[in-house]
Amino acid sequence: MEAGHHHISVSVDTSGGGGGGGDRFPQWSIQETRDFLMIRAELDPTFMETKRNKLLWEVISTKMREKGYNRSPEQCKCKWKNLVTRYKGCETLEPEGMRQQFPFYNELQAIFAARMQRMLWIEAEGGASGLKKKGVRLSSDDEDDEDESDGEKGSSKKKRKIKGGGMNPGSGSSTSGGNMNNLKEFLEEFMKQQMQMEVQWLKTYEAREEERRMREMEWRQAMEALENERIMMDRRWREREEQRRMREEARAEKRDALITALLNKLRREDV
């Protein structure tokens, strides 16, 4: 067993050293990041069930290598932490801003939503005791792998505790109660974030709807103004036509009267 652990630590250190030289590795492309998130989503249940995730990052590195990407376990781990940090930073942004500034928001959202569903299912099946038996950890993303020296220190502390009088009988119940409290806090925080996003989306929708109504009102007012202007122009044209017709009639009457007077004068002269 010790030889096996020694072999694992050597392989990890070698790959991690290769990842230290950031200049020798290209930047993460969008497609590479999506493939990485797909692999990470497949292994997320295992991440939640194990305490040591160093081997899991090696598995992810191997799967990435199978897809043609040369990424060390340490690089994959750092990339995941950066993505989670950016995901948490997008909680105060609008939906369009999320897609523009962080194109992998939907992938992270799907991973955490599936994780919450698994937690709810585990809680419904076995409660806090089930969580303890299955070894589910609520914050696997924030915990780092422990070194072998830490494991040896922990084992020596356990031996001293056993020699000193054994485990505390109430530690099991306190641990299960702590897991239940952590689960409740996680669910409350998740629901709070969802509510904040829904409220923000609703505010954005209402603002856009109000802007649309204002534009429609302005358009209607402009159309009404144009219609009123057309009616006024038509009315003025009719008035001018009426005045022109009256002037024509007046000139015609004068002309007829003048012609009649001339004819009468000529008749009198002939007589």
Side-chain angles (χ1 to χ4, degrees):
M1 294 297 292
E2 293 179 357
H5 286 297
H6 181 69
H7 174 71
I8 292 173
S9 63
V10 170
S11 63
V12 172
D13 293 340
T14 302
S15 60
D23 296 336
R24 288 180 293 175
F25 290 92
Q27 294 183 354
W28 291 73
S29 64
I30 294 179
Q31 185 59 39
E32 181 182 6
T33 305
R34 294 191 188 280
D35 293 338
F36 166 71
L37 289 175
M38 187 180 301
I39 297 172
R40 181 59 177 77
E42 294 176 357
L43 295 177
D44 189 69
T46 309
F47 271 91
M48 298 300 296
E49 294 175 359
T50 182
K51 292 183 178 180
R52 294 180 178 272
N53 52 24
K54 185 180 295 184
L55 294 177
L56 295 177
W57 289 116
E58 290 182 356
V59 172
I60 292 178
S61 176
T62 302
K63 288 181 176 291
M64 291 289 290
R65 196 173 295 111
E66 292 175 356
K67 290 182 177 291
Y69 307 115
N70 186 15
R71 297 296 179 181
S72 65
E74 188 65 25
Q75 283 181 314
C76 295
K77 182 178 179 180
C78 292
K79 182 63 175 178
W80 172 252
K81 288 186 176 181
N82 292 335
L83 291 173
V84 172
T85 301
R86 292 188 62 185
Y87 169 79
K88 293 179 180 179
C90 291
E91 295 174 356
T92 58
L93 298 178
E94 297 182 358
E96 293 183 358
M98 292 178 186
R99 289 190 292 270
Q100 293 177 358
Q101 296 188 12
F102 187 53
F104 311 108
Y105 182 85
N106 293 332
E107 286 82 352
L108 269 296
Q109 179 73 9
I111 292 175
F112 290 125
R115 181 182 297 181
M116 188 189 70
Q117 291 179 358
R118 289 194 300 270
M119 289 181 178
L120 293 175
W121 180 80
I122 292 173
E123 182 185 12
E125 288 292 327
S129 60
L131 288 174
K132 183 180 178 182
K133 291 179 181 179
K134 293 179 181 294
V136 175
R137 296 186 296 127
L138 303 179
S139 59
S140 63
D141 302 325
D142 299 331
E143 295 183 3
D144 296 329
D145 297 329
E146 297 179 355
D147 297 334
E148 292 182 0
S149 59
D150 295 337
E152 293 177 357
K153 292 179 181 178
S155 61
S156 61
K157 289 181 180 179
K158 290 181 179 178
K159 291 180 180 179
R160 286 198 296 270
K161 287 183 179 180
I162 293 174
K163 292 180 180 179
M167 298 295 291
N168 187 4
S171 61
S173 60
S174 62
T175 303
S176 62
N179 289 334
M180 180 60 69
N181 292 332
N182 290 335
L183 177 60
K184 290 181 179 179
E185 291 177 0
F186 177 82
L187 294 178
E188 290 176 358
E189 183 67 21
F190 184 82
M191 294 303 296
K192 186 185 297 183
Q193 293 177 2
Q194 292 294 324
M195 291 294 295
Q196 291 177 354
M197 291 179 61
E198 290 180 1
V199 170
Q200 191 170 5
W201 178 86
L202 184 60
K203 289 181 179 179
T204 304
Y205 174 78
E206 291 178 351
R208 291 180 178 177
E209 188 67 18
E210 183 65 22
E211 183 179 359
R212 186 191 64 80
R213 285 197 295 266
M214 292 297 296
R215 290 181 179 178
E216 184 177 358
M217 186 180 298
E218 292 177 357
W219 179 81
R220 290 181 181 275
Q221 291 177 354
M223 291 296 103
E224 290 178 358
L226 289 175
E227 183 66 18
N228 293 333
E229 185 178 359
R230 187 191 66 80
I231 293 173
M232 293 298 296
M233 291 178 65
D234 184 70
R235 184 179 300 172
R236 287 195 295 268
W237 178 81
R238 291 180 181 275
E239 290 177 355
R240 287 196 297 268
E241 285 294 319
E242 183 67 20
Q243 292 175 1
R244 185 185 64 80
R245 187 182 62 81
M246 293 176 64
R247 287 195 299 269
E248 288 290 335
E249 290 179 354
R251 283 197 294 267
E253 290 178 356
K254 290 181 180 180
R255 185 175 60 251
D256 293 342
L258 181 60
I259 293 173
T260 302
L262 289 174
L263 290 174
N264 292 332
K265 184 178 180 181
L266 291 174
R267 288 175 183 174
R268 284 195 299 270
E269 289 178 355
D270 291 339
V271 173

